Coordinates of all heavy atoms in Angstrom, one line a residue:
A70 N 122.3 90.2 129.4 CA 122.2 89.6 130.7 C 121.5 88.3 130.6 O 121.8 87.3 131.2 CB 121.6 90.6 131.7
A71 N 120.4 88.3 129.9 CA 119.5 87.1 129.8 C 120.2 86.0 129.1 O 119.7 84.9 129.1 CB 118.2 87.5 129.2
G72 N 121.3 86.3 128.4 CA 122.0 85.2 127.7 C 122.0 85.3 126.2 O 122.4 84.4 125.5
V73 N 121.4 86.4 125.6 CA 121.5 86.6 124.2 C 123.0 86.8 123.9 O 123.6 87.7 124.5 CB 120.7 87.8 123.7 CG1 120.9 88.1 122.3 CG2 119.2 87.6 124.0
D74 N 123.5 86.0 123.0 CA 125.0 86.0 122.8 C 125.4 86.7 121.5 O 125.1 86.3 120.5 CB 125.4 84.5 122.7 CG 126.9 84.3 122.5 OD1 127.6 85.3 122.3 OD2 127.3 83.2 122.4
P75 N 126.1 87.9 121.7 CA 126.4 88.7 120.5 C 127.4 88.0 119.6 O 127.5 88.5 118.5 CB 127.0 89.9 121.1 CG 127.5 89.6 122.5 CD 126.6 88.4 123.0
S76 N 128.0 86.9 120.0 CA 128.9 86.2 119.0 C 128.1 85.3 118.1 O 128.6 84.8 117.1 CB 130.0 85.5 119.8 OG 129.4 84.4 120.4
Q77 N 126.9 85.0 118.5 CA 126.0 84.2 117.6 C 124.9 84.9 117.0 O 124.3 84.5 116.0 CB 125.3 83.1 118.5 CG 126.2 82.2 119.3 CD 125.5 81.0 119.8 OE1 124.9 80.3 119.0 NE2 125.4 80.9 121.1
T78 N 124.6 86.1 117.5 CA 123.3 86.8 117.1 C 123.7 88.2 116.8 O 124.6 88.8 117.3 CB 122.4 86.8 118.3 OG1 122.1 85.4 118.7 CG2 121.1 87.5 118.0
T79 N 122.9 88.8 115.8 CA 123.2 90.1 115.4 C 122.2 91.1 116.2 O 121.0 90.9 116.1 CB 123.0 90.3 113.9 OG1 123.8 89.4 113.2 CG2 123.3 91.7 113.4
L80 N 122.7 92.0 116.9 CA 121.9 92.9 117.7 C 122.1 94.3 117.1 O 123.2 94.7 116.9 CB 122.4 92.9 119.2 CG 122.4 91.5 119.9 CD1 122.9 91.7 121.3 CD2 120.9 91.0 119.9
F81 N 121.0 95.0 116.9 CA 121.2 96.3 116.3 C 120.0 97.2 116.7 O 119.0 96.8 117.3 CB 121.3 96.2 114.8 CG 120.1 95.7 114.0 CD1 119.2 96.6 113.4 CD2 119.9 94.4 113.9 CE1 118.2 96.2 112.7 CE2 118.8 93.9 113.2 CZ 118.0 94.8 112.6
I82 N 120.1 98.5 116.3 CA 119.1 99.5 116.6 C 118.5 99.9 115.2 O 119.2 100.2 114.3 CB 119.7 100.7 117.3 CG1 120.2 100.3 118.6 CG2 118.7 101.8 117.4 CD1 121.0 101.5 119.3
Q83 N 117.2 99.8 115.2 CA 116.4 100.1 113.9 C 116.9 101.4 113.2 O 117.2 101.4 112.1 CB 114.9 100.2 114.3 CG 114.0 100.3 113.2 CD 112.6 100.5 113.7 OE1 112.3 101.1 114.7 NE2 111.6 99.9 113.0
S84 N 116.9 102.5 114.0 CA 117.1 103.8 113.3 C 118.6 103.9 112.8 O 118.9 104.8 112.1 CB 116.8 104.9 114.3 OG 117.7 104.9 115.4
R85 N 119.5 103.0 113.3 CA 120.8 103.0 112.8 C 120.9 102.3 111.4 O 122.0 102.2 110.8 CB 121.8 102.4 113.7 CG 121.9 103.1 115.0 CD 123.1 104.1 114.9 NE 123.6 104.3 116.3 CZ 124.6 103.6 116.8 NH1 125.3 102.7 116.2 NH2 125.0 103.9 118.1
V86 N 119.9 101.7 111.0 CA 119.9 101.1 109.7 C 118.8 101.8 108.8 O 117.6 101.3 108.7 CB 119.6 99.6 109.8 CG1 119.7 98.9 108.4 CG2 120.4 98.9 110.8

Side-chain angles (χ1 to χ4, degrees):
V73 174
D74 176 359
S76 70
Q77 303 194 56
T78 299
T79 306
L80 302 178
F81 66 97
I82 297 174
Q83 184 184 38
S84 65
R85 292 266 206 96
V86 187

